[in-house]
């Protein structure tokens, strides 16, 4: 990425640090997230046009709380501090911060007092946009050279600026969708203040990554574990475009897949792309190992261990393989490295960074390592992958195992597959699939007594879930109309033998929640 204008984001542990990077990339500028304690040499090597300091869970007044490297203030590049980033900027440059008395969490209103280059074309003097606050501390005295740009009810220095040095600080979070004009503000910072070009696109990435793959692999052979999901599919197609039949894909049928999943993968990769593909039928192995297991984390560990064993055994049958391809994404990379010990490092309890055991002695090929999920989808479209693959809802690595609550049996999996297919079919018929970020059925570990026709029944209860999300960091339940849910329930009870009650889950994932499927 050395050819691109670049922004460096220093992470202080906020769980929404990734959103800053996404907004910057959406503005057409390449950026990376590095730990707050990056060395001077590392920062110089990255050569950023500007630096953004993220929020974080610590208090700047705590002993040994994180600070930005002193070199940041001497580089001569613009700096934007967000929330904790603003507070450490002020403390390090001679200002003051106080703690604990004027907390603000959630929506607030900004009062724009003075013009500022950061606000140019975004907000003007007298505007009162909605912003999103999440702080317990606040700045109480500005460093020399700074002036007030905007205030809020509990933050007298909600936005500050040192125009001479191009240092800016905001107490609110412009990266979240709840801040009106926040994405525009970040675009203003990277384009107008930092002078970055609009040169980050999937077309450019595709060409650059193909060259990188060819250089890395040479004449070697690569194996790739396909899951049927977006990430591994896009990675496989990109690598195949780069090196052709030097790539072999392995798809492990765990018995925990959706209806027709195996057939769809075979059709796309063998028939359409002509990519060498090995399909391993391991259904009996996985279901036997999962018998009687109810705990979801134990299910994940069993599935992960068996997948590695099956994949490794199959890989050994291919001669002279030197590389392993993975669909590792940038969030996986960030979450696998503890920058601060804050929430951003514990969002996932499972990821694929590092992959298979070291004993396989394979070098990793991770062409998506620098991309976020929405960028992977854009790359998939650039590569010509069908929308049915590119636009599909996220599907968990453990498959249906964690959507069958309680112990797993072949009967329960059959019920869930049929129910999930009917539910998604109704969503598509209603034209709602692309409005919903993720929808799926869950088989609950309870049975219900009911009357069906002239007989009494004692069968399973099914839960339906659907959520909307802009970025997967926060989510809300989708507001289906009652007639839609009634139609789904009627079809499910009539067409799926084994359930007699259907419920809709209206829980959401609010800001602050860090575990999501």
């Amino acid at each position: 990425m050395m050819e691109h204008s670049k922004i460096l984001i220093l992470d202080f542990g906020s769980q929404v640090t990734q959103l800053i990077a996404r907004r910057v990339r959406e503005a057409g500028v390449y950026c990376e997230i590095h730990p707050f304690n990056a060395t001077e040499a590392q920062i110089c090597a990255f050569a950023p046009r500007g630096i953004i300091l993220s929020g974080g869970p610590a208090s700047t007044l705590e002993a040994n709380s994180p600070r930005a490297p002193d070199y940041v203030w001497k580089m001569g590049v613009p700096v934007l501090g967000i929330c904790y980033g603003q507070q450490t900027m002020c403390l390090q440059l001679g200002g003051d911060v106080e703690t604990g008395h004027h907390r603000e969490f959630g929506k607030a209103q900004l009062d724009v007092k003075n013009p500022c280059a950061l606000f140019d074309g975004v907000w003007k003097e007298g505007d009162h946009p909605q912003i999103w606050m999440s702080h317990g501390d606040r700045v109480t005295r500005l460093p020399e050279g700074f002036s007030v740009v905007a205030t809020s009810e509990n933050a007298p220095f909600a936005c500050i600026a040192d125009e001479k040095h191009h240092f800016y600080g905001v107490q609110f979070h412009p990266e979240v969708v709840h801040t009106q004009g926040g994405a525009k503000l970040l675009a203003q910072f990277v384009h107008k203040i930092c002078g970055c070009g609009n040169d980050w696109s999937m077309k450019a990435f595709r060409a650059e990554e193909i060259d990188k793959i060819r250089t890395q692999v040479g004449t070697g052979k690569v194996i790739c574990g396909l899951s049927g999901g977006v990430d591994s599919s896009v990675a496989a197609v990109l690598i195949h475009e780069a090196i052709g039949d030097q790539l072999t894909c392995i798809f492990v049928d765990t018995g925990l897949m959706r209806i027709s999943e195996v057939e769809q993968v075979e059709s796309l990769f063998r028939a359409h792309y002509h990519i060498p593909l090995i399909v391993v039928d391991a259904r009996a192995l996985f279901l036997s190992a999962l018998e009687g297991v109810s705990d979801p984390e134990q299910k994940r560990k069993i599935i992960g261990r068996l997948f590695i064993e099956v994949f490794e055994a199959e890989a050994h049958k291919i001669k002279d393989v030197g590389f392993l391809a993975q669909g590792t994404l940038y969030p996986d990379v960030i979450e696998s490295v503890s920058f601060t010990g804050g929430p951003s490092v514990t969002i996932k309890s499972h990821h694929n960074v590092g992959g298979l055991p070291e004993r396989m002695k394979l070098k990793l090929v991770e062409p998506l390592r620098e991309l976020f999920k929405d960028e992977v989808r854009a790359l998939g479209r650039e590569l010509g992958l069908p929308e049915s693959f590119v636009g599909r809802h996220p599907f968990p690595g453990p498959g249906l195992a964690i959507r069958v609550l309680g112990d797993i049996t072949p009967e329960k999996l059959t019920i869930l597959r049929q129910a999930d297919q009917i539910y998604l079919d109704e969503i598509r018929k209603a034209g709602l699939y692309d409005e919903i970020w993720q929808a799926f059925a869950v088989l609950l570990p309870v049975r219900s007594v009911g009357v069906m026709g002239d007989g009494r029944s004692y069968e399973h209860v099914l839960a339906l879930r659907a959520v909307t999300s802009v970025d997967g960091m926060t989510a809300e339940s989708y507001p289906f109309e009652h007639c839609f849910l009634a139609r789904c329930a009627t079809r499910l009870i009539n067409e799926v033998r084994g359930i007699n009650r259907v419920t809709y889950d209206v829980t959401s994932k609010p800001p602050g929640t860090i575990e999501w499927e």
Side-chain angles (χ1 to χ4, degrees), residues 12 24 45 66 92 96 131 167 184 254 293 295 356 363 368 404 478:
F12 289 89
V24 171
Q92 290 183 249
D96 290 326
I131 55 175
F167 293 163
K184 197 173 181 181
T254 63
V293 179
D295 180 73
L356 297 177
K363 298 176 182 177
L368 312 182
V404 173
Y478 187 81

Side-chain angles (χ1 to χ4, degrees), residues 82-385:
I82 296 174
C83 197
Y84 185 95
Q86 182 208 45
Q87 294 164 15
T88 194
M89 172 188 284
C90 285
L91 276 182
Q92 290 183 249
L93 296 178
D96 290 326
V97 174
E98 70 175 11
T99 186
H101 304 297
H102 301 280
R103 301 192 307 166
E104 278 185 302
F105 295 95
K107 295 177 182 177
Q109 191 175 66
L110 195 68
D111 184 3
V112 181
K113 299 290 189 182
N114 296 296
C116 168
L118 185 65
F119 285 5
D120 190 24
V122 183
W123 301 316
K124 62 183 183 301
E125 186 178 350
D127 282 351
H128 297 89
Q130 175 186 289
I131 55 175
W132 188 265
M133 289 286 197
S134 181
H135 68 96
D137 298 354
R138 70 176 190 180
V139 175
T140 55
R141 185 174 66 86
L142 295 181
E144 184 179 349
F146 281 82
S147 60
V148 178
V149 176
T151 65
S152 72
E153 183 177 358
N154 286 321
F157 303 111
C159 180
I160 60 175
D162 176 348
E163 300 279 19
K164 178 181 177 181
H165 296 97
H166 304 296
F167 293 163
Y168 303 89
V170 294
Q171 184 60 73
F172 56 91
H173 288 271
E175 68 271 28
V176 302
V177 295
H178 311 289
T179 294
Q180 297 171 345
K184 197 173 181 181
L185 182 148
L186 289 171
Q188 172 71 5
F189 176 73
V190 299
H191 288 306
K192 301 299 183 181
I193 294 175
C194 298
C196 294
N198 190 24
D199 58 7
W200 170 248
S201 70
M202 286 306 102
K203 184 176 181 179
F205 176 86
R206 174 185 181 180
E208 292 169 4
E209 198 61 32
I210 285 173
D211 285 343
K212 276 171 61 174
I213 293 167
R214 288 171 178 165
T215 300
Q216 179 186 6
V217 173
T219 59
K221 290 184 179 180
V222 181
I223 54 171
C224 175
L226 278 182
S227 68
V230 175
D231 305 339
S232 62
S233 297
V234 171
V237 172
L238 180 64
I239 293 169
H240 186 256
E241 185 170 306
I243 61 172
D245 289 351
Q246 292 170 243
L247 170 70
T248 299
C249 292
I250 300 174
F251 180 86
V252 179
D253 182 0
T254 63
L256 306 168
M257 317 305 292
R258 294 168 287 199
I259 286 179
S260 302
E261 190 91 41
V262 178
E263 293 79 6
Q264 290 171 6
V265 169
E266 288 184 300
S267 173
L268 179 66
F269 289 91
R270 279 186 181 152
H272 184 74
Y273 282 105
H274 307 293
I275 297 175
L277 173 65
I278 298 169
V279 177
V280 185
D281 185 352
R283 290 174 292 178
L285 176 66
F286 278 83
L287 294 184
S288 175
L290 290 167
E291 186 176 356
V293 179
S294 298
D295 180 73
E297 282 305 308
Q298 193 177 352
K299 290 177 183 178
R300 293 181 194 273
K301 290 175 182 176
I302 290 171
I303 293 166
R305 174 178 57 79
L306 287 179
F307 181 88
I308 288 173
E309 291 175 2
V310 173
F311 188 93
E312 185 176 10
E314 205 61 40
H316 281 310
K317 298 176 185 178
I318 306 172
K319 293 183 178 180
D320 302 323
V321 172
F323 298 88
L324 169 68
Q326 291 190 157
T328 306
L329 304 191
Y330 195 43
D332 299 325
V333 176
I334 297 165
E335 290 157 9
S336 68
V337 179
S338 179
F339 288 173
T340 66
S344 67
V345 305
T346 56
I347 290 175
K348 284 187 178 180
S349 63
H350 60 287
H351 52 71
N352 61 356
V353 176
L356 297 177
E358 292 183 6
R359 64 177 176 268
M360 290 191 70
K361 298 179 180 178
L362 299 178
K363 298 176 182 177
L364 290 179
V365 180
E366 298 174 308
L368 312 182
R369 191 179 174 86
E370 294 159 335
L371 302 185
F372 288 102
K373 189 77 171 187
D374 53 338
E375 293 175 317
V376 174
R377 295 188 193 279
L379 177 59
R381 295 184 179 99
E382 176 70 28
L383 290 164
L385 273 159

Side-chain angles (χ1 to χ4, degrees), residues 5 18 38 146 162 198 200 227 285 414 436 458 469 516:
S5 304
Q18 292 183 30
F146 281 82
D162 176 348
N198 190 24
W200 170 248
S227 68
L285 176 66
T414 298
I436 296 169
Y458 180 62
S469 179
W516 196 250

